[in-house]
Amino acid sequence: MLRALARALELDVDTSAHMFVLAASHPVQHAETEDVHQLLDTWVGSPAYVRNRRFDVLAANKQARALAPMYEPGHNLARDMFLDPDIRQLLPDWPEIAAQTVAALRAEADPRDPRTARLVAELEANDDFRSLWARHDARPSRDELKRFVHPVVGELALRRQALTVGGAEQQVIIVYQAAPGSPSAAALVRLL
């Protein structure tokens, strides 16, 4: 029945997947494991962090923490995106990244989770978030190019890779990589 509804409404793949999650009878459980946190410490030269589906940063390596304060464990990426004015200076493509963040939060977070509901309610006080949330875009994080203007090392263009953690599917590892030999690769070396 849900597939027929998705066809009738001409929903794309991401929006259909979001509808199936919403129709599930049990809320998704959020498992967290220490093994993933240890993996980050072995990643050298690439900023990497672990976040849950609500965009809470659970762990980050030194490079990620040096790249941006929002990658510090304990931060929520959606909250920082909309409520920390410094993030707009760090991300020159802020409007596009903000829209991606909202669409990914809608696609990945469980709306039945009370902490997710509180986060969304808090963020709806922000005009930009409220406008983007009202669009109902649902699109998981993609592997895309993300630009930064770091206050110490300058401009960086980094490829973002989103990896689901086996055995802890509610966690995502985000890794940033610079093209070999690029100015961004040199900037990453200077980051620490």
Side-chain angles (χ1 to χ4, degrees):
M1 182 165 97
L2 290 176
R3 286 191 181 106
L5 181 60
R7 277 192 306 277
L9 294 174
E10 298 179 359
L11 301 179
D12 64 21
V13 173
D14 292 330
T15 307
S16 296
H18 180 62
M19 180 180 66
F20 294 135
V21 168
L22 290 175
S25 61
H26 300 291
V28 177
Q29 298 300 312
H30 298 279
E32 297 179 7
T33 64
E34 281 298 314
D35 295 341
V36 176
H37 303 245
Q38 294 172 5
L39 174 65
L40 297 180
D41 292 334
T42 64
W43 236 311
V44 178
S46 295
Y49 64 91
V50 177
R51 67 162 174 80
N52 62 19
R53 303 284 181 178
R54 194 176 42 256
F55 286 42
D56 296 324
V57 177
L58 305 175
N61 67 10
K62 288 179 187 178
Q63 290 87 355
R65 293 190 311 273
L67 180 61
M70 66 183 169
Y71 300 135
E72 284 287 338
H75 281 246
N76 178 276
L77 299 171
R79 183 180 291 116
D80 283 3
M81 182 67 61
F82 291 95
L83 303 182
D84 182 346
D86 293 337
I87 298 303
R88 291 178 191 241
Q89 301 302 314
L90 180 69
L91 303 171
D93 303 316
W94 185 89
E96 294 84 14
I97 295 170
Q100 292 169 2
T101 300
V102 172
L105 181 66
R106 183 177 290 283
E108 297 178 33
D110 185 348
R112 296 163 291 197
D113 173 39
R115 290 180 290 179
T116 298
R118 284 192 299 273
L119 174 65
V120 170
E122 175 188 356
L123 292 174
E124 283 185 320
N126 177 277
D127 292 338
D128 292 317
F129 179 86
R130 188 172 50 254
S131 173
L132 291 167
W133 190 254
R135 290 177 15 189
H136 294 278
D137 292 342
R139 187 178 50 258
S141 295
R142 301 275 194 248
D143 298 340
E144 298 168 328
L145 191 68
K146 191 169 182 179
R147 295 185 321 130
F148 296 84
V149 178
H150 193 274
V152 175
V153 300
E155 294 184 20
L156 298 107
L158 304 174
R159 174 74 46 199
R160 178 182 66 197
Q161 302 288 323
L163 311 166
T164 301
V165 178
E169 286 74 19
Q170 300 311 312
Q171 293 181 3
V172 178
I173 298 175
I174 304 293
V175 181
Y176 291 110
Q177 295 178 315
S182 69
S184 294
L188 277 180
V189 171
R190 294 191 317 271
L191 198 57
L192 295 177

